[in-house]
Amino acid sequence: KLCGYLNKLGIKGPIKTWKSRWFFYDENKCRLLYYRTAQDINPLGSIDLSSASFDCKMENGEGVFQIRTPSRVFTLKAISKQAMMYWLQQLQMRRWEFCNALSRFPVGSSQIVNEPLAGRTSRWCTYVIDNEDFLPLVKTPTEAVGLKAASLPAPQTSTALQNISLKHPWTEIQNTVYSICGSKQLWGNNGNVFSFDEFQEHPENVDEEQGAEEETLEDGKVGPRLNWIRKARWMNSGFPGSDELSREKNSVDKVSVLQQQILTLTEEVKSQKELVKLLHKALEAAQQEKRVSSMYLTAAEDKDRLELVRHKVRQIADLTSRLEALEQEKKELEQILTLRDSHIQELKEHVQLLMEKNHAKQEVIMTLTEQMARELSDPLQEANTITVETLYKQQEEIEHLKDDIDAYKTQNQFLNSEIHQVTRLWTSVAENEKALLMKCACLQARNCQMESKYLTVLRKLQEAVPGLPNSHAELVKNLIQEALQRDVKEEAEEALSFELNTGLCPSSEYDEYGFMTVPDYEIEDWKLLAKIQALEIKSNKLRSQEIVEKPLRDRWNSLGELNPSAELKSLIRSGIPVEHRQRVWRWMVSRHCSPAPGHYQRLLEQSGSTEHPACRQIELDLPRTLTNNKHFSSPTSQLIPKLRRVLLAFSWHNPAIGYCQGLNRLAAVALLVLEDEESAFWCLVYIVENLMPADYYSDTLITSQVDQRVFKDFLSEKVPRLMAHFEQYRIDVSLITFNWFLVAFVDSLVSDILLRVWDAFLYEGTKVIFRYALAIFKYNEEEILRIHDNVEIYQYLRFFTRMITDGRKLMNIAFNDLNPFPMKLLRNRRSMHREELEAELCELEQIKAAYVKERAEQGP
């Protein structure tokens, strides 16, 4: 058993006192219980060691150490340095044993208590071996620790009431009665001196933060009868009884022990008398209040009751006036006290001055006396005397310094041991937390998949509604509406809770750039598809968070200065993390497009002074830009004025193009990522003038048309089955893909996949758009091949990009499955189809001219 007497520092306001307490370690709950004496049955409080740390500082004094819990710091003092180190080492061992048992067994499992002794002993030995490098095992001080110490008299304090806990009067009375009467006499007649049950409705509640000297147990109340019986059994089993004393000690020792016990009980009786007086006063006040209340209740008429109330009012008024008079008297006394304090301070200063004068005179006298003694004594003897005294002082200082060094060594050994153990405990907790986070992420990913499958089933049922009975059709409709109208605030709260508790992939109504995670489409079927897609994307993110995203993020964090390389190309294709995307985009733009200082400001001034012809079209397109993004969804949104200035500046910068529908979307994405409008302007210039071929955004859009023909060629080569299927049902894919190429998939792909496409697009150019356009068809190839109707194919192609949920799979298709994809082949195809298109346009112009000439010759 780990138990013994320690002094505990009680703090109440400015008063700090040491109080002797009997401490006992409860190994089942890892708590250190403390009592006033070893014979007490009810504890005054407890210290939770499972989350505590220990500390000892030489500056605090010999034997003083601290136990730091999350809510309070307990300062304790042992009788010696050896006893202090023994307590600290034993508490460390018990904490280690309890935390290891807690990590091996589930919380609340009885196996922790009933664990075999061999298992505990093995872990104990492991701990001792691990800690021998820091702090050797301290021998047990039997005179201060253990069950034998309970038979010794408790350390006495200077006054009787000093060691009593005034915050626990009822516990003190119970413990005193138990000590006087003895457990067998008290419970032998199945009765007790006091009615304890009456006091159980007033549980103890001590405010530790305001300096309460003791604290109550946190594990709930135990009935006094059961608590006393349990403590009596423990004492009878663990403490040496009177029979053992009679066998081991002679009669003189017995008499001395009994006399000591008589003195202890006498002091306790004195303290209990003080408590009884306090209780009597409280009882008299309660009885007086009870008599007045009885008179009020027994009054027969309202007049009598009114007279009683008036009497009370008069008493209250009288007491109020007396209180005011006392307050006035108090103020006067405080003023008098202030005057006296100032007078005392003056007297103290005068006394201090006199003492300094006296001290100066004494120093002069001592100096003269020493001078006379030196003159009268032998110079050699004087030198020897001084040398001996100096050596003696130096030896004393050396001994003190050696003691200090030993104390600091011991303190250093213990603190190293404490750091070592706390670090191991923290590592174990961190590993457990990481495993729980991964398990939580897997469970949430599975939940998203289940919810996605549920919505998919609802969609299939919705398609089959015409063939269902009315009741079933109505049920399906209600379920779909309920799934779509789920409370957004509830989702946001769940997402915030998950983010705070796990630190993994957060989700909310909007993503990092303000895009809605579930776009609010007008068509109900599209809404359902959007929600399914959002759930699938979230599930994929959660599953790849630890395996893919975290290693990728670590590679980006370790990347230093940006330089073109195969590694950087691979990283950019995999997607740039949010925290690095702005920096990398600025670097890619600045490599090919050097911003001219002041150029953007001059363009803004020009647009402010002169209205551009494209100004009206820009104003019409602003409200239609990224309607599913909160930064552009409202005319009053913050980024709308910035987007207007960027588009106007570009229209003056490039008069050949001016403004073309689609540029608003490109500039909006650049603004979301780069934030600065001038950087967004140069990004738009880089895309239009460097990445895209010439005439891509001209009036004729001739290069855009060329790219559609080139794309059809690649589609025939890379996905021949799908292209044959389109030709069979006369599907013109350029009706779907033309806008993809013009705005680089903006408003076609979800934001997470869109920005990954843009990462590679800004680094590699338009070849990336061809790769991803082919990958999208490859991703959905099997679904499209199952449709055998021209109209249904067109309907499916309108929303099939919203069926893409796995961005990693799409990226692998684009950059691995479609290889080889040489840029030289792309340039050759563009040249060939441009010549064909220009020839066709020339032929059309000739036909048009001939037709106009023919009409003119025919006349009206």
Side-chain angles (χ1 to χ4, degrees), residues 509-529:
E509 186 180 359
Y510 299 95
D511 66 3
E512 301 90 345
Y513 295 104
F515 289 98
M516 296 179 66
T517 53
V518 182
D520 188 16
Y521 296 114
E522 296 181 359
I523 304 174
E524 187 174 280
D525 192 40
W526 285 21
K527 288 183 182 179
L528 197 58
L529 284 173

Side-chain angles (χ1 to χ4, degrees), residues 50-61:
S50 61
S51 58
S53 62
F54 312 112
D55 187 18
C56 66
K57 295 181 180 178
M58 198 192 72
E59 297 82 2
N60 295 336

Side-chain angles (χ1 to χ4, degrees), residues 596-609 645 649 652 676-679 681-682:
H599 180 63
Y600 179 69
Q601 295 299 328
R602 289 193 293 271
L603 294 174
L604 290 182
E605 293 174 1
Q606 186 177 0
S607 63
S609 59
R645 290 193 291 270
W652 286 108
D676 177 54
E677 60 181 272
E678 185 172 357
S679 300
F681 165 77
W682 287 111

Side-chain angles (χ1 to χ4, degrees), residues 299-362:
E301 297 180 359
D302 294 339
K303 292 182 178 181
D304 298 335
R305 294 186 178 183
L306 183 61
E307 184 60 32
L308 288 174
V309 171
R310 289 175 178 172
H311 177 65
K312 278 291 183 182
V313 171
R314 287 194 295 273
Q315 286 183 342
I316 292 170
D318 184 36
L319 291 173
T320 303
S321 61
R322 289 173 62 188
L323 179 63
E324 292 176 353
L326 291 174
E327 288 288 341
Q328 184 65 28
E329 185 178 354
K330 177 185 174 183
K331 291 181 180 179
E332 294 175 356
L333 291 175
E334 286 178 350
Q335 293 177 356
I336 294 172
L337 182 62
T338 304
L339 294 174
R340 289 185 178 180
D341 288 341
S342 61
H343 183 62
I344 290 171
Q345 187 64 30
E346 293 176 358
L347 292 176
K348 284 182 179 180
E349 292 176 356
H350 183 64
V351 170
Q352 183 67 25
L353 182 61
L354 293 176
M355 290 177 65
E356 290 176 356
K357 289 181 179 179
N358 187 26
H359 182 68
K361 292 179 180 179
Q362 288 179 356

Side-chain angles (χ1 to χ4, degrees), residues 590-652:
S590 62
R591 280 181 62 223
H592 302 281
C593 183
S594 301
H599 180 63
Y600 179 69
Q601 295 299 328
R602 289 193 293 271
L603 294 174
L604 290 182
E605 293 174 1
Q606 186 177 0
S607 63
S609 59
T610 308
E611 183 176 350
H612 195 277
C615 183
R616 182 178 179 184
Q617 186 61 47
I618 290 173
E619 291 298 329
L620 291 174
D621 287 346
L622 287 177
R624 296 180 290 195
T625 304
L626 301 186
T627 54
N628 62 339
N629 189 290
K630 66 179 180 181
H631 298 298
F632 296 99
S633 57
S634 171
T636 59
S637 297
Q638 185 178 3
L639 293 185
I640 291 291
K642 292 185 178 181
L643 179 61
R644 179 186 292 110
R645 290 193 291 270
V646 169
L647 295 176
L648 287 173
F650 181 82
S651 63
W652 286 108

